Amino acid sequence: MTTPLPKRFPLNLYDELLLHLDQPASPLGLQMEIRVSGHLDEERLLHAIRSAARKHPMSRVSLVPHAAGDTAYFWQLHDALEQVPLRIIQCCDEESLHEARSALHSLPIPLAEAPPFRCALAHCGERGDFFMINMNSTVSDHIGLYRFMLSVLRAYANISDPVSGQDFLTARQAGQEPDQNLLQDGISRLTRVMEMLGSTLNPPARIAGDGDEADQAGLGFMPVRFSGAQTRRLQTLRHGGATINDLLATTLHTAIDRWNTDHGQSTGRISMVMPMNTRGDGWRDEIASNLCMWVNVVSRASEREDFDSLLAAITRQTSNLKESVTMAVLVDLMRELRALPAWIRQAVPALLPLTGNRIGSTTVLGNLGAIHSPLPAGSELALSELWFSPPCRMPMGLSLGALTLDDHLHLSFRYHRQQFRRESAWAFAEVFLDILNQHPGT
């Protein structure tokens, strides 16, 4: 940032979409968690969080109060964090760690005051310490949260942390001005709109559950770490241009179908929400902000009869979603909402394809991609685990976050306790893992 930022600046399209979807009973918070090899000093960590916040403006904003007739929403930028909400957990066995993680991420993160995140530090002795962040997804996507976490780590380790030279406010609008040449291609635009409507007008399948309806805001998490050999094996399952993300999406669709069948529930169209990065090629891993478009990847029962056929169908969808015509149409639809009064806009986002549809989607998948340890060899701090999961709101009772850290796939299953008891959530995860592990490679 070469010039000072204004004290107030508008929410972008992605911020506003998630603002209207976030509800206290089903908060849209992002999970990110690291495990380091040794001990994290509390005061030093507090200093590192403050240092990271100075570099990343969205970590020190609050929402400006708005009236029903307003046609714009604004962020209030604060010069520094007056407080760092960091909970300390002194004794850390596996069960207490699970409870601490669930307690942190079951909390709604209010936007009326800064910061828009909450943290916890668990001292776990020889196992290494855990540092967790729950960030309101209205202010940042998973890529932005990882960039913020990276700054915390680098500040703690006292190593250089250069930020992108991309202008912050300009970057926040990137990808939100549709290519008019594309939109003037009426046939392409109409065809893509019809494809999206065709995949969202019918109610999506639900995952069979046995959760506690009385537990309105409880979340649970199941971390699964693959060995290096298991992670390498996944590459043998790819074909026809499929990515690891396509493979995970196919497995998730298949697992939902199998789980529902085993529980006597029919499964029609499965609709999976997925964030797609709109950052430019030169800064795809930079800018801690909301710069992801949420899109749907769907499957029908006839496409799920064979794993490889489903993989090909999902690969075609994700390839199409990356095309500029689709993104231009979605951005155009979102831009049309900006002229409406705030009270109307609060009800409209759930109608758009990228939010699920009128009555939601089936599940959510987010993938942070392949990451190499951000800390240099020989650093006093060694990063051994990294976990992330995207938000989901009921009746989408399950989401899956994925990333590969130093050749080890990390999967974080997030579930609402309204959806699953803990034992059932693990049983679903085992169905997913069995499908992935038992499929023969090429």
Side-chain angles (χ1 to χ4, degrees):
M1 295 174 290
T2 56
T3 58
L5 291 174
K7 294 297 183 182
R8 292 189 179 192
F9 54 89
L11 277 67
N12 69 10
L13 292 174
Y14 311 129
D15 298 343
E16 189 174 324
L17 171 67
L18 292 163
L19 171 68
H20 297 320
L21 292 173
D22 188 28
Q23 299 294 330
S26 191
L28 295 184
L30 283 165
Q31 175 211 11
M32 189 157 288
E33 177 178 333
I34 61 169
R35 182 166 78 94
V36 298
S37 58
H39 174 77
L40 288 170
D41 178 79
E42 296 164 14
E43 288 301 320
R44 191 170 164 187
L45 180 59
L46 285 169
H47 177 78
I49 296 169
R50 291 182 184 278
S51 175
R54 286 193 294 271
K55 289 178 176 289
H56 301 291
M58 295 306 295
S59 62
R60 46 188 170 90
V61 297
S62 59
L63 188 66
V64 175
H66 57 274
D70 292 345
T71 57
Y73 296 85
F74 289 88
W75 293 118
Q76 176 75 42
L77 179 63
H78 301 267
D79 293 334
L81 296 185
E82 293 185 3
Q83 59 176 346
V84 176
L86 177 65
R87 179 191 174 195
I88 307 299
I89 303 161
Q90 294 294 348
C91 182
C92 178
D93 56 27
E94 193 64 36
E95 188 60 29
S96 63
L97 183 63
H98 170 78
E99 291 302 322
R101 183 183 295 122
S102 297
L104 175 67
H105 294 287
S106 295
L107 288 172
I109 306 298
L111 296 173
E113 60 184 26
F117 62 86
R118 301 291 183 268
C119 306
L121 170 62
H123 295 302
C124 297
E126 294 182 357
R127 295 184 57 201
D129 287 354
F130 286 79
F131 174 56
M132 314 173 195
I133 301 179
N134 176 9
M135 180 170 282
N136 191 309
S137 61
T138 303
V139 302
S140 179
D141 55 30
H142 58 303
I143 297 166
L145 177 53
Y146 174 68
R147 186 62 187 85
F148 177 75
M149 177 70 86
L150 190 59
S151 289
V152 173
L153 286 170
R154 288 172 173 171
Y156 187 96
N158 196 28
I159 60 177
S160 176
D161 180 37
V163 296
S164 171
Q166 182 77 14
D167 180 76
F168 176 73
L169 292 182
T170 300
R172 277 179 45 80
Q173 301 306 315
Q176 298 179 44
E177 294 292 338
D179 187 330
Q180 295 302 317
N181 291 326
L182 292 170
L183 296 178
Q184 288 168 8
D185 184 352
I187 295 177
S188 295
R189 187 172 189 267
L190 179 60
T191 299
R192 196 50 50 86
V193 168
M194 295 306 294
E195 288 175 355
M196 290 188 294
L197 289 177
S199 68
T200 58
L201 290 180
N202 296 322
R206 298 286 176 233
I207 304 174
D210 60 356
D212 182 4
E213 291 293 331
D215 198 341
Q216 292 296 310
L219 293 171
F221 297 83
M222 300 170 294
V224 178
R225 184 174 183 264
F226 281 47
S227 68
Q230 290 172 319
T231 303
R232 289 190 295 273
R233 177 187 169 275
L234 297 182
Q235 299 295 336
T236 69
L237 305 182
R238 297 172 51 196
H239 53 79
T243 64
I244 291 296
N245 195 66
D246 294 329
L247 181 64
L248 295 174
T250 301
T251 306
L252 186 54
H253 281 241
T254 305
I256 291 170
D257 191 303
R258 185 174 298 180
W259 174 267
N260 282 357
T261 298
D262 291 345
H263 288 78
Q265 180 172 310
S266 62
T267 307
R269 180 179 63 87
I270 293 176
S271 175
M272 185 192 76
V273 181
M274 183 175 71
M276 296 190 69
N277 189 3
T278 67
R279 291 164 175 81
D281 290 339
W283 45 286
R284 290 194 63 78
D285 300 320
E286 292 292 332
I287 309 296
S289 180
N290 259 323
L291 287 164
C292 278
M293 175 71 79
W294 291 81
V295 297
N296 271 324
V297 176
V298 302
S299 70
R300 296 167 180 81
S302 59
E303 296 173 311
R304 297 192 295 270
E305 295 176 357
D306 176 76
F307 186 93
D308 290 332
S309 297
L310 178 58
L311 178 60
I314 284 181
T315 301
R316 285 193 298 271
Q317 282 187 69
T318 56
S319 296
N320 287 338
L321 287 167
K322 295 171 185 176
E323 292 178 357
S324 52
V325 173
T326 297
M327 300 304 284
V329 169
L330 292 174
V331 169
D332 194 36
L333 288 172
M334 292 178 68
R335 282 174 55 83
E336 292 296 325
L337 298 176
R338 304 305 288 277
L340 299 175
W343 69 272
I344 296 179
R345 301 215 303 272
Q346 290 174 6
V348 170
L351 303 177
L352 291 177
L354 57 118
T355 68
N357 60 26
R358 290 173 297 176
I359 52 175
S361 290
T362 309
T363 189
V364 185
L365 171 66
N367 192 344
L368 200 55
I371 296 170
H372 294 290
S373 180
L375 300 172
S379 171
E380 64 171 301
L381 198 64
L383 182 63
S384 57
E385 295 176 12
L386 174 63
W387 306 97
F388 140 75
S389 67
C392 64
R393 50 179 261 174
M394 289 297 291
M396 290 187 289
L398 176 80
S399 71
L400 175 61
L403 60 90
T404 302
L405 174 66
D406 292 335
D407 303 320
H408 290 267
L409 177 65
H410 290 61
L411 299 178
S412 182
F413 294 84
R414 171 200 296 238
Y415 63 95
H416 283 264
R417 288 173 176 164
Q418 292 174 269
Q419 175 70 39
F420 285 133
R421 296 194 305 267
R422 187 175 178 184
E423 298 79 6
S424 299
W426 273 112
F428 178 89
E430 288 172 356
V431 171
F432 178 98
L433 296 171
D434 284 346
I435 293 168
L436 197 58
N437 291 329
Q438 294 174 6
H439 187 75
T442 57

